[in-house]
Amino acid sequence: MNYHLHFRTDRQPVETCVIGTGGFGRSFLAQGLRVPMMNVRAGVDTSAQRVAEAMRAVGIPAGKIRICASAEEAGAAWQAGDYIAAEDVAHLLDLPLEVFVEATGHPEAGARHARLAIEAGRHVALVSKEVDSVVGPGLAALAERKGCVVTPVDGDQPSLLIDLITWAETLGFEIVAAGKSSEYDFVYDAAAGTLASNGRTVEAPEFGRWSELGLRDVAEVVAGRAAAAAMLPQRAVPDLCELSVVANATGYGVDAPALHAPIARITEVPSILCERAKGGVMGATGKLDVFHCLRAPGEVSFAGGVFVILRCNDAETWDMLKEKGHVVARTGDVAMIFNPRHLLGLEAATSILEAGLIGRGTGGVEPAHHVDLVAFANRDLAAGEVLAMGGHHHSIDGVDAHLIAASALSDESPAPFYLASNQRLRRPVAAGSYIRMGDLDHRTNSELMALRAIQDGHFHRR
């Protein structure tokens, strides 16, 4: 695991630019003031003023911030030792920047930013999973040809899970399943008979019947909990999007296109996410999934952490580990090893340092195109309707996400979710159907389309 990084202390700090200064980007700007081996002197957003405001908010003196509208202005600001706020990443490509952090979350703009940085021979920390889910493996291949890397970032779940899987494989463990907790916990208040998630609390009178697993049938309890919590969302596009990044980095697939996504206590996860033959819900081993952390008010959260479920091949060893507090399934056959946190931008510097100092990413060694995150209609969609992407989860009204086996795109293939976003439907799509590439009028996704054609040519020539 990448927690003990040793770099030459006589080397100059890694010069870094952050693209997208809200949320993750803002916390990364703050990192630039405290991480000894990294400078973050440049930022890009749709408004340079927004960049300047974010810089001031994290403690950068206003007198040291320059708003730059050209490459010449950016060059002069750099020579003066100032911080640069810009609206176009192209204006910064002549600066001695080593790593570009793409954190806009915008599929089309993010694809352009990544391409420009790679073409200039710079490393890319690809925070925008929306881009990664469509063309991540192709971008990694382009970067390799240029002698640079595209990497996910530590602190975000894909990088943390890839790291945990790699650790388990290195030690020779058999991985039964791997995954992450979902975006939000499910907090059950038995006394009040309520269930809360993502700031919303609902009456859940039937949930008490299913609140404890004990020795009961796993599938029955999982189904009972899902039904009793039906008023709360139990699938989120970001969860599937993040697992698509992990799948393409590691080669692990999924057991179901929309995942099993059980509501489960931390101690129940290995009993639930194992094979059906062992009492769980999985149809096969070596698959990725998500669970919703079930807990009581005041109990510890999984905090958006990641896990691997390992085969217990020596009973005596795992009995000893169980006594020390490790989470072993009720059958004793499998156990869960986990990292119960993700710190987002607060932890991302390790990935930037690995890229900038030693030319290595914190993702897969050889990313490939194993899965696609595709768009699935959950209601009837009319011709002419625009599949507008929005909200905190970058979702599309009336459209779910599924994970399916990867393929080259054609008019009849299911459209990648974030390639379909913000496009207009040429023809109606019935509920319960995949949205096909030919269903869409591709007007505002030319950058993604061009990069996806390159990716398809690289991985699907045959």
Side-chain angles (χ1 to χ4, degrees):
M1 297 177 119
N2 301 314
Y3 299 141
H4 305 289
L5 304 173
H6 301 281
F7 304 118
R8 287 176 52 187
T9 56
D10 60 342
R11 188 206 187 279
Q12 292 298 310
V14 175
E15 299 291 355
T16 308
C17 171
V18 62
I19 310 170
T21 54
F24 178 97
R26 174 170 164 162
S27 64
F28 190 72
L29 283 171
Q31 274 196 19
L33 297 178
R34 76 168 195 272
V35 177
M37 293 296 294
M38 184 177 72
N39 286 333
V40 186
R41 283 178 50 201
V44 177
D45 213 317
T46 52
S47 163
Q49 188 61 46
R50 184 180 297 119
V51 180
E53 290 171 0
M55 287 178 169
R56 289 194 296 270
V58 301
I60 296 169
K64 294 291 291 180
I65 301 169
R66 295 267 294 274
I67 291 179
C68 300
S70 68
E72 292 73 22
E73 290 180 5
W78 186 272
Q79 291 300 320
D82 291 334
Y83 288 79
I84 298 165
E87 295 179 3
D88 191 342
V89 70
H91 295 156
L92 308 182
L93 295 175
D94 291 334
L95 301 180
L97 294 163
E98 298 168 87
V99 182
F100 284 77
V101 181
E102 211 308 312
T104 64
H106 190 286
E108 180 70 2
R112 174 179 178 267
H113 297 150
R115 176 183 60 79
L116 288 173
I118 292 167
E119 288 177 349
R122 314 301 171 79
H123 303 301
V124 175
L126 191 54
V127 182
S128 296
K129 298 176 288 291
E130 299 82 357
V131 177
D132 209 334
S133 71
V134 182
V135 294
L139 288 173
L142 288 175
E144 184 178 22
R145 293 174 201 161
K146 282 287 189 176
C148 50
V149 299
V150 173
T151 180
V153 291
D154 286 345
D156 213 357
Q157 290 159 312
S159 182
L160 295 176
L161 182 53
I162 293 164
D163 188 38
L164 192 56
I165 289 171
T166 303
W167 168 84
E169 290 179 332
T170 300
L171 294 178
F173 289 112
E174 179 188 347
I175 298 176
V176 175
K180 54 181 263 299
S181 67
S182 64
E183 292 280 300
Y184 306 103
D185 291 352
F186 278 52
V187 182
Y188 177 59
D189 188 329
T194 59
L195 195 61
S197 182
N198 190 20
R200 182 182 171 197
T201 302
V202 298
E203 300 290 330
E206 293 298 311
F207 199 86
R209 294 177 52 202
W210 309 104
S211 64
E212 299 295 334
L213 175 61
L215 298 177
R216 301 161 74 183
D217 180 78
V218 163
E220 182 182 9
V221 171
V222 167
R225 288 175 179 174
M231 65 292 293
L232 293 172
Q234 294 175 41
R235 298 292 189 282
V237 175
D239 288 334
L240 285 94
C241 185
E242 290 181 334
L243 290 190
S244 76
V245 176
V246 177
N248 285 331
T250 63
Y252 286 73
V254 295
D255 197 48
L259 309 179
H260 292 289
I263 301 170
R265 301 184 190 279
I266 294 172
T267 54
E268 299 170 347
V269 173
S271 297
I272 293 173
L273 291 179
C274 63
E275 319 96 297
R276 295 188 192 111
K278 300 292 184 179
V281 299
M282 306 294 281
T285 60
K287 302 296 183 181
L288 303 171
D289 219 301
V290 165
F291 81 98
H292 305 287
C293 181
L294 174 63
R295 61 180 178 87
E299 285 185 341
V300 68
S301 169
F302 205 73
V306 298
F307 64 88
V308 288
I309 296 174
L310 309 176
R311 184 79 65 203
C312 298
N313 288 320
D314 181 75
E316 185 173 338
T317 296
W318 286 101
D319 283 344
M320 176 189 68
L321 291 172
K322 183 177 181 180
E323 290 173 1
K324 292 181 177 293
H326 288 277
V327 180
V328 179
R330 63 188 185 182
T331 60
D333 293 333
V334 296
M336 179 172 71
I337 306 299
F338 56 97
N339 175 359
R341 60 104 177 96
H342 74 302
L343 299 176
L344 300 170
L346 298 181
E347 198 179 353
T350 52
S351 294
I352 279 70
L353 293 177
E354 289 212 33
L357 295 176
I358 59 179
R360 186 179 71 188
T362 53
V365 176
E366 291 186 52
H369 190 204
H370 298 293
V371 302
D372 270 317
L373 179 80
V374 298
F376 182 83
N378 61 31
R379 63 171 173 82
D380 289 339
L381 301 170
E385 190 169 347
V386 175
L387 303 180
M389 180 193 79
H392 174 67
H393 287 161
H394 290 183
S395 57
I396 302 171
D397 178 54
V399 181
D400 289 333
H402 280 187
L403 283 169
I404 64 172
S407 66
L409 296 183
S410 68
D411 278 352
E412 293 307 310
S413 61
F417 189 93
Y418 288 110
L419 195 62
S421 67
N422 300 317
Q423 306 312 304
R424 188 180 302 276
L425 285 171
R426 297 172 54 205
R427 54 198 183 205
V429 178
S433 304
Y434 286 117
I435 298 170
R436 309 280 172 178
M437 287 293 291
D439 295 332
L440 299 167
D441 190 0
H442 298 278
R443 293 187 178 184
T444 62
N445 58 4
S446 59
E447 189 77 49
L448 275 173
M449 289 285 283
L451 286 170
R452 180 55 187 251
I454 294 171
Q455 175 173 295
D456 287 348
H458 182 81
F459 290 104
H460 303 288
R461 286 195 184 101
R462 288 175 295 179

